Amino acid sequence: MAAIAVEKLRWTEKALHVPSFSEMTSALSTGLNENFTEVSINEVECPDLTAAPFNLPACGLSGSPTIIDAGGPPYLLPLVDRTKIYDLADIARKALPNVESVYVCGAGAGPHPLINSNCEGIFNLKVNSDGTIVNGTRIARVTPGEELCETIKVPHLETRFALLANFYLCEGQSGKVLHVKCKKRVGTEDFITVCRKAVKAAFGDKHVGVGGVFLLKNGNAHQHVMRDFSKVPLLNDDDLNNWLKFYDIPGTLVAVGTFLSDDMDLDLRVQHFHSLSVDNKWGGHYHYDTTPNTIEYEAYFNVGERIIRMDQPVDTHNFGRD
Ligand code: ZN
């Protein structure tokens, strides 16, 4: 099934508030210190993210940092709209048209026509101006019958995604980023929720968007993988959680995605990260760690300058946002 042509997609762009790294450090420090026993936050030169354990297609997170929120849960729930197929390479080129290369990473629904089944996407794609791409995207699915988690590297030219996704885009250049490390969780909320609420508390009504990559080490994560599309309508969060397949998966995990201080009246998903284990055995949607005493997080984040809202659902609802 072909993707919807990018010029036919509803497309809204808004500027985001861009705090300095020292303001971000102060904001995150307040929230993280209330929830973890050891915290350090520094402005650093981004390490080469093409190296292990990250193995991303681009070396850094700098150059025209942009957040994209595409589609939304109303295209999945109560019943799937199978026509909602998008091409991430075309979208990346439209979002950053005059640059040498675009790196895009994030969390969303994988290209179901590829395997004739619903799946999660852990998206990692570099699109160069000469038309070549570096494709590091993998999908995660629930195997039929045994219901195991399986990840699959997509074919090199497969750049589609479906239904809903949250992406961080940039030129993939090295440059300054925020390096966030924390250990031993004593709060009740997950790492990304803590970061998001800390940013909201510090910047109030100013809209801030953050994207990048984090490692979850020395512990396990509660994650979900979507089963194949439900044949019966999923009408609320209980229906949804019975349909999702949850796993307790061992780190080290590499997670990519975005978080935003609020939904800006654009029906945004305010946080969304998908992870892949370093051995590629596990993938899926990060909820929280299940090993607070040993857990360690290490993140490289950059702050978005603008948000693009793409194909926002007209008829919406308010479940399926966890
Ligand atoms: Zn997800």
Side-chain angles (χ1 to χ4, degrees):
M1 182 186 279
I4 302 168
V6 68
E7 59 271 17
K8 289 188 176 165
L9 296 169
R10 287 192 302 283
W11 187 279
T12 304
E13 300 195 17
K14 282 194 181 174
L16 292 165
H17 176 62
V18 184
S20 68
F21 281 155
S22 69
E23 289 173 310
M24 285 293 292
T25 298
S26 163
L28 291 169
S29 173
T30 303
L32 288 168
N33 275 301
E34 288 170 2
N35 288 276
F36 292 87
T37 58
E38 285 181 48
V39 176
S40 75
I41 308 170
N42 294 288
E43 179 181 339
V44 300
E45 197 67 30
C46 194
D48 181 0
L49 297 176
T50 64
F54 301 99
N55 298 314
L56 304 185
C59 61
L61 299 173
S62 293
S64 314
T66 302
I67 309 281
I68 292 185
D69 188 310
Y75 297 154
L76 173 67
L77 309 164
L79 287 167
V80 66
D81 179 348
R82 290 175 190 265
T83 68
K84 293 297 183 182
I85 304 280
Y86 311 102
D87 188 307
L88 186 53
D90 290 347
I91 289 165
R93 283 191 201 95
K94 178 170 177 176
L96 296 182
N98 299 311
V99 300
E100 194 168 313
S101 54
V102 186
Y103 167 58
V104 51
C105 65
H112 56 82
L114 176 68
I115 58 167
N116 197 27
S117 177
N118 190 23
C119 53
E120 303 285 350
I122 304 101
F123 295 97
N124 265 303
L125 180 68
K126 190 176 173 194
V127 181
N128 299 315
S129 59
D130 64 3
T132 60
I133 63 171
V134 184
N135 197 340
T137 294
R138 291 188 82 97
I139 57 173
R141 68 161 185 162
V142 179
T143 62
E146 288 183 296
E147 299 223 301
L148 303 173
C149 174
E150 174 185 58
T151 84
I152 301 165
K153 187 168 174 23
V154 299
H156 180 68
L157 294 176
E158 176 60 83
T159 55
R160 294 174 297 177
F161 69 100
L163 306 174
L164 59 96
N166 298 83
F167 298 115
Y168 174 75
L169 282 82
C170 64
E171 296 175 52
Q173 297 168 349
S174 52
K176 296 281 196 229
V177 289
L178 273 178
H179 185 207
V180 179
K181 290 170 77 171
C182 53
K183 277 188 192 178
K184 195 172 176 183
R185 181 170 55 80
V186 291
T188 56
E189 292 185 305
D190 70 274
F191 172 59
I192 295 298
T193 298
V194 170
C195 291
R196 176 173 61 79
K197 288 186 172 178
V199 168
K200 175 68 180 167
F203 303 109
D205 292 336
K206 293 174 180 165
H207 308 299
V208 177
V210 175
V213 56
F214 72 82
L215 301 175
L216 180 151
K217 300 187 279 194
N218 217 15
N220 289 16
H222 182 70
Q223 300 209 144
H224 80 237
V225 178
M226 295 186 288
R227 290 188 170 97
D228 197 8
F229 298 120
S230 178
K231 293 181 175 62
V232 296
L234 304 172
L235 298 172
N236 50 51
D237 276 321
D238 285 342
D239 288 354
L240 175 63
N241 289 328
N242 287 327
W243 168 69
L244 295 171
K245 175 72 180 175
F246 288 90
Y247 299 96
D248 187 60
I249 73 172
T252 299
L253 308 179
V254 181
V256 285
T258 63
F259 67 88
L260 291 139
S261 58
D262 60 69
D263 91 339
M264 300 176 66
D265 293 325
L266 290 171
D267 196 10
L268 304 176
R269 191 159 187 158
V270 292
Q271 63 186 74
H272 201 183
F273 277 81
H274 283 184
S275 85
L276 187 67
S277 63
V278 289
D279 60 9
N280 292 329
K281 282 186 179 167
W282 300 91
H285 176 114
Y286 167 79
H287 285 269
Y288 51 82
D289 68 77
T290 57
T291 50
N293 292 330
T294 60
I295 200 69
E296 295 182 36
Y297 290 95
E298 180 172 10
Y300 293 96
F301 288 142
N302 201 2
V303 181
E305 293 172 348
R306 65 190 170 122
I307 179 150
I308 296 170
R309 184 69 174 103
M310 197 209 83
D311 203 22
Q312 179 179 349
V314 175
D315 294 319
T316 195
H317 51 59
N318 60 6
F319 68 106
R321 264 65 166 181
D322 269 2

PDB file of all heavy atoms in Angstrom, residues 121-136:
ATOM      1  N   GLY A 121       7.173   0.739  15.618  1.00  0.00           N
ATOM      2  CA  GLY A 121       8.367   1.188  14.905  1.00  0.00           C
ATOM      3  C   GLY A 121       9.329   1.865  15.853  1.00  0.00           C
ATOM      4  O   GLY A 121       8.919   2.703  16.661  1.00  0.00           O
ATOM      5  N   ILE A 122      10.590   1.469  15.772  1.00  0.00           N
ATOM      6  CA  ILE A 122      11.663   2.185  16.470  1.00  0.00           C
ATOM      7  C   ILE A 122      12.452   2.838  15.339  1.00  0.00           C
ATOM      8  O   ILE A 122      13.298   2.210  14.700  1.00  0.00           O
ATOM      9  CB  ILE A 122      12.542   1.232  17.318  1.00  0.00           C
ATOM     10  CG1 ILE A 122      11.678   0.436  18.305  1.00  0.00           C
ATOM     11  CG2 ILE A 122      13.610   2.018  18.069  1.00  0.00           C
ATOM     12  CD1 ILE A 122      11.376  -0.983  17.872  1.00  0.00           C
ATOM     13  N   PHE A 123      12.100   4.110  15.071  1.00  0.00           N
ATOM     14  CA  PHE A 123      12.513   4.739  13.815  1.00  0.00           C
ATOM     15  C   PHE A 123      13.871   5.418  13.947  1.00  0.00           C
ATOM     16  O   PHE A 123      14.119   6.161  14.903  1.00  0.00           O
ATOM     17  CB  PHE A 123      11.459   5.762  13.369  1.00  0.00           C
ATOM     18  CG  PHE A 123      10.144   5.115  13.037  1.00  0.00           C
ATOM     19  CD1 PHE A 123       9.113   5.074  13.964  1.00  0.00           C
ATOM     20  CD2 PHE A 123       9.956   4.485  11.809  1.00  0.00           C
ATOM     21  CE1 PHE A 123       7.912   4.451  13.667  1.00  0.00           C
ATOM     22  CE2 PHE A 123       8.751   3.857  11.498  1.00  0.00           C
ATOM     23  CZ  PHE A 123       7.727   3.835  12.441  1.00  0.00           C
ATOM     24  N   ASN A 124      14.730   5.165  12.966  1.00  0.00           N
ATOM     25  CA  ASN A 124      16.062   5.750  12.883  1.00  0.00           C
ATOM     26  C   ASN A 124      16.428   5.833  11.418  1.00  0.00           C
ATOM     27  O   ASN A 124      16.733   4.815  10.793  1.00  0.00           O
ATOM     28  CB  ASN A 124      17.082   4.854  13.607  1.00  0.00           C
ATOM     29  CG  ASN A 124      17.300   5.297  15.031  1.00  0.00           C
ATOM     30  OD1 ASN A 124      17.671   6.446  15.259  1.00  0.00           O
ATOM     31  ND2 ASN A 124      17.064   4.403  15.968  1.00  0.00           N
ATOM     32  N   LEU A 125      16.384   7.042  10.876  1.00  0.00           N
ATOM     33  CA  LEU A 125      16.563   7.180   9.427  1.00  0.00           C
ATOM     34  C   LEU A 125      17.358   8.444   9.140  1.00  0.00           C
ATOM     35  O   LEU A 125      17.090   9.492   9.718  1.00  0.00           O
ATOM     36  CB  LEU A 125      15.177   7.292   8.773  1.00  0.00           C
ATOM     37  CG  LEU A 125      15.128   7.446   7.266  1.00  0.00           C
ATOM     38  CD1 LEU A 125      15.604   6.178   6.570  1.00  0.00           C
ATOM     39  CD2 LEU A 125      13.693   7.773   6.826  1.00  0.00           C
ATOM     40  N   LYS A 126      18.338   8.318   8.236  1.00  0.00           N
ATOM     41  CA  LYS A 126      19.055   9.494   7.748  1.00  0.00           C
ATOM     42  C   LYS A 126      18.793   9.611   6.256  1.00  0.00           C
ATOM     43  O   LYS A 126      18.966   8.639   5.515  1.00  0.00           O
ATOM     44  CB  LYS A 126      20.546   9.351   8.024  1.00  0.00           C
ATOM     45  CG  LYS A 126      21.339  10.605   7.771  1.00  0.00           C
ATOM     46  CD  LYS A 126      22.784  10.378   8.179  1.00  0.00           C
ATOM     47  CE  LYS A 126      23.657  11.546   7.793  1.00  0.00           C
ATOM     48  NZ  LYS A 126      25.071  11.165   7.882  1.00  0.00           N
ATOM     49  N   VAL A 127      18.312  10.786   5.841  1.00  0.00           N
ATOM     50  CA  VAL A 127      17.960  11.042   4.442  1.00  0.00           C
ATOM     51  C   VAL A 127      18.935  12.080   3.907  1.00  0.00           C
ATOM     52  O   VAL A 127      18.994  13.204   4.421  1.00  0.00           O
ATOM     53  CB  VAL A 127      16.518  11.584   4.346  1.00  0.00           C
ATOM     54  CG1 VAL A 127      16.135  11.836   2.901  1.00  0.00           C
ATOM     55  CG2 VAL A 127      15.530  10.626   5.010  1.00  0.00           C
ATOM     56  N   ASN A 128      19.711  11.730   2.894  1.00  0.00           N
ATOM     57  CA  ASN A 128      20.709  12.649   2.345  1.00  0.00           C
ATOM     58  C   ASN A 128      20.150  13.391   1.129  1.00  0.00           C
ATOM     59  O   ASN A 128      19.247  12.901   0.451  1.00  0.00           O
ATOM     60  CB  ASN A 128      21.975  11.876   1.954  1.00  0.00           C
ATOM     61  CG  ASN A 128      22.600  11.192   3.158  1.00  0.00           C
ATOM     62  OD1 ASN A 128      22.735  11.789   4.220  1.00  0.00           O
ATOM     63  ND2 ASN A 128      22.952   9.930   3.002  1.00  0.00           N
ATOM     64  N   SER A 129      20.742  14.567   0.850  1.00  0.00           N
ATOM     65  CA  SER A 129      20.213  15.403  -0.244  1.00  0.00           C
ATOM     66  C   SER A 129      20.400  14.744  -1.603  1.00  0.00           C
ATOM     67  O   SER A 129      19.687  15.063  -2.551  1.00  0.00           O
ATOM     68  CB  SER A 129      20.867  16.787  -0.224  1.00  0.00           C
ATOM     69  OG  SER A 129      22.254  16.648  -0.355  1.00  0.00           O
ATOM     70  N   ASP A 130      21.341  13.802  -1.721  1.00  0.00           N
ATOM     71  CA  ASP A 130      21.519  13.117  -3.020  1.00  0.00           C
ATOM     72  C   ASP A 130      20.541  11.955  -3.196  1.00  0.00           C
ATOM     73  O   ASP A 130      20.621  11.206  -4.168  1.00  0.00           O
ATOM     74  CB  ASP A 130      22.960  12.626  -3.164  1.00  0.00           C
ATOM     75  CG  ASP A 130      23.331  11.561  -2.130  1.00  0.00           C
ATOM     76  OD1 ASP A 130      22.447  11.154  -1.337  1.00  0.00           O
ATOM     77  OD2 ASP A 130      24.495  11.130  -2.111  1.00  0.00           O
ATOM     78  N   GLY A 131      19.617  11.805  -2.241  1.00  0.00           N
ATOM     79  CA  GLY A 131      18.591  10.773  -2.367  1.00  0.00           C
ATOM     80  C   GLY A 131      18.926   9.472  -1.652  1.00  0.00           C
ATOM     81  O   GLY A 131      18.064   8.609  -1.497  1.00  0.00           O
ATOM     82  N   THR A 132      20.192   9.328  -1.232  1.00  0.00           N
ATOM     83  CA  THR A 132      20.554   8.097  -0.510  1.00  0.00           C
ATOM     84  C   THR A 132      20.043   8.169   0.923  1.00  0.00           C
ATOM     85  O   THR A 132      19.807   9.262   1.469  1.00  0.00           O
ATOM     86  CB  THR A 132      22.071   7.884  -0.492  1.00  0.00           C
ATOM     87  OG1 THR A 132      22.684   9.011   0.155  1.00  0.00           O
ATOM     88  CG2 THR A 132      22.616   7.739  -1.912  1.00  0.00           C
ATOM     89  N   ILE A 133      19.848   7.016   1.527  1.00  0.00           N
ATOM     90  CA  ILE A 133      19.405   6.971   2.917  1.00  0.00           C
ATOM     91  C   ILE A 133      20.268   6.009   3.720  1.00  0.00           C
ATOM     92  O   ILE A 133      20.916   5.120   3.162  1.00  0.00           O
ATOM     93  CB  ILE A 133      17.917   6.542   3.042  1.00  0.00           C
ATOM     94  CG1 ILE A 133      17.703   5.117   2.507  1.00  0.00           C
ATOM     95  CG2 ILE A 133      16.997   7.513   2.340  1.00  0.00           C
ATOM     96  CD1 ILE A 133      16.310   4.564   2.815  1.00  0.00           C
ATOM     97  N   VAL A 134      20.285   6.215   5.031  1.00  0.00           N
ATOM     98  CA  VAL A 134      20.840   5.247   5.962  1.00  0.00           C
ATOM     99  C   VAL A 134      19.673   4.836   6.843  1.00  0.00           C
ATOM    100  O   VAL A 134      19.080   5.682   7.522  1.00  0.00           O
ATOM    101  CB  VAL A 134      21.973   5.855   6.826  1.00  0.00           C
ATOM    102  CG1 VAL A 134      22.588   4.783   7.715  1.00  0.00           C
ATOM    103  CG2 VAL A 134      23.029   6.517   5.959  1.00  0.00           C
ATOM    104  N   ASN A 135      19.293   3.576   6.785  1.00  0.00           N
ATOM    105  CA  ASN A 135      18.071   3.138   7.446  1.00  0.00           C
ATOM    106  C   ASN A 135      18.402   2.222   8.621  1.00  0.00           C
ATOM    107  O   ASN A 135      18.847   1.091   8.436  1.00  0.00           O
ATOM    108  CB  ASN A 135      17.176   2.402   6.434  1.00  0.00           C
ATOM    109  CG  ASN A 135      15.747   2.283   6.926  1.00  0.00           C
ATOM    110  OD1 ASN A 135      15.480   2.404   8.121  1.00  0.00           O
ATOM    111  ND2 ASN A 135      14.834   2.031   6.008  1.00  0.00           N
ATOM    112  N   GLY A 136      18.168   2.727   9.825  1.00  0.00           N
ATOM    113  CA  GLY A 136      18.405   1.932  11.028  1.00  0.00           C
ATOM    114  C   GLY A 136      17.111   1.563  11.748  1.00  0.00           C
ATOM    115  O   GLY A 136      17.142   1.166  12.911  1.00  0.00           O
TER     116      GLY A 136
END
